[in-house]
Amino acid sequence: MSVENIRIVLVNTTHPGNIGSAARAMKTMGLSSLYLVDPVVFPSGEARALSSGATDLLENAIITKTLEEAIADCELVIGASARVRGISLELTDPREGAHIAVAEAASGTRVALVFGREDRGLTNEELRLCHRQVHIPSVADFSSLNLAASVQVLCYELRMAHLAGEGESGVPDIRERALADSAQMESFYQHLRSTLDEIGFFKSCNPDKIMTKLRRVYGRSRLNSVEYNILRGILSETQAAVRNLRR
Ligand code: SAH
């Protein structure tokens, strides 16, 4: 089933009740893979109580220290955010986002839907690890849903996309080759940054700002394994050439 490739990732959740309610929301919609990044209180009786029987999801939840670890093997990462301004990611609504997630999951892509903290949402650094942002189109001056409520909305859309058969039937395999996963992309960005630094590209520009823009470009193009290896090769050769010249 395609939704098995979709995981819900809750980042640094403060209230254990929200973890339980999110597990319940997931189970009712047929999702089971829950990742908890640095939860403030877990395990917890409150989480169990509010999961209302979805305790299997809590027991099988995978706990990580960082978001990077939770998404390392994912090729598509979608961040849910109440904020829409000041974020340079491609924006999608829950219906379109769920359609993309289910269609990609059906062809073997591991997909993560990432939710932020109750008080502050996701940091800019965490959003930078995402390929897209999904925003539930709430009203502008009261835009933030409860964490578990937003998990419910997105899981419902995933369910609808799944039931519509988009994931099950006739979706062509959009991947000729495996896509580079998040861990590979992170090492690519480090390599790119050090190469640009060595060739003196940044000059007086702020490297962080340039890297944010470059991450956007490469995030959009979803490199497969062959493309990834070509780019890594180009970077290595560039570094070798510069080092030779300087010798
Ligand atoms: N003040 C925070 C809101 C946090 S609500 C902020 O500025 O982001 C906790 C989490 O619920 C968010 O990080 C997000 O993952 C999810 N969420 C809440 N409202 C949402 C919305 N309108 N669209 C998408 N996700 C939302």
Side-chain angles (χ1 to χ4, degrees):
M1 201 169 71
S2 58
V3 292
E4 276 165 8
N5 284 330
I6 303 179
R7 71 186 63 164
I8 299 294
V9 182
L10 305 182
V11 178
N12 197 204
T13 310
T14 308
H15 301 295
N18 274 334
I19 298 177
S21 300
R24 180 181 186 174
M26 288 170 64
K27 191 162 179 173
T28 53
M29 298 293 130
L31 284 132
S32 58
S33 176
L34 175 63
Y35 281 63
L36 303 172
V37 177
D38 190 26
V40 174
V41 187
F42 193 80
S44 125
E46 206 183 333
R48 279 183 82 82
L50 279 153
S51 78
S52 188
T55 42
D56 49 332
L57 270 69
L58 298 178
E59 277 149 20
N60 294 326
I62 294 178
I63 299 173
T64 67
K65 275 216 161 71
T66 64
L67 177 56
E68 281 93 334
E69 287 170 66
I71 60 168
D73 59 339
C74 292
E75 298 97 351
L76 176 62
V77 182
I78 304 178
S81 174
R83 283 175 296 148
V84 281
R85 252 168 257 153
I87 290 161
S88 61
L89 284 176
E90 209 157 320
L91 190 62
T92 176
D93 67 37
R95 198 148 298 168
E96 185 195 32
H99 171 91
I100 294 167
V102 169
E104 293 226 9
S107 50
T109 300
R110 277 169 300 248
V111 182
L113 251 72
V114 184
F115 295 81
R117 324 161 164 73
E118 290 92 335
D119 56 345
R120 296 181 289 123
L122 294 167
T123 63
N124 287 338
E125 287 68 38
E126 287 159 351
L127 275 169
R128 217 170 282 144
L129 298 172
C130 302
H131 298 109
R132 287 172 176 271
Q133 183 197 347
V134 63
H135 174 70
I136 300 163
S138 43
V139 295
D141 58 356
F142 200 75
S143 65
S144 174
L145 279 76
N146 162 265
L147 170 61
S150 63
V151 172
Q152 183 76 74
V153 170
L154 281 155
C155 290
Y156 166 75
E157 291 294 351
L158 290 168
R159 175 88 180 140
M160 291 303 281
H162 174 68
L163 288 179
E166 291 157 354
E168 301 277 287
S169 64
V171 177
D173 192 342
I174 54 173
R175 301 192 322 170
E176 284 164 29
R177 290 177 201 284
L179 296 176
D181 63 25
S182 290
Q184 288 175 310
M185 289 310 290
E186 285 316 305
S187 63
F188 167 70
Y189 292 131
Q190 275 174 21
H191 196 179
L192 180 59
R193 185 177 179 138
S194 62
T195 308
L196 292 176
D197 196 28
E198 270 186 58
I199 65 172
F201 178 80
F202 294 124
K203 299 204 168 59
S204 58
C205 303
N206 179 340
D208 289 334
K209 283 199 176 142
I210 304 241
M211 287 310 300
T212 299
K213 293 199 163 73
L214 288 171
R215 291 178 79 102
R216 198 177 166 193
V217 173
Y218 288 105
R220 218 169 32 222
S221 52
R222 318 280 312 283
L223 303 179
N224 68 30
S225 52
V226 172
E227 294 160 343
Y228 167 82
N229 284 328
I230 292 173
L231 289 176
R232 289 295 298 252
I234 292 174
L235 293 178
S236 299
E237 289 299 323
T238 306
Q239 285 178 316
V242 176
R243 286 171 198 170
N244 250 337
L245 274 178
R246 290 196 177 136
R247 224 179 271 149

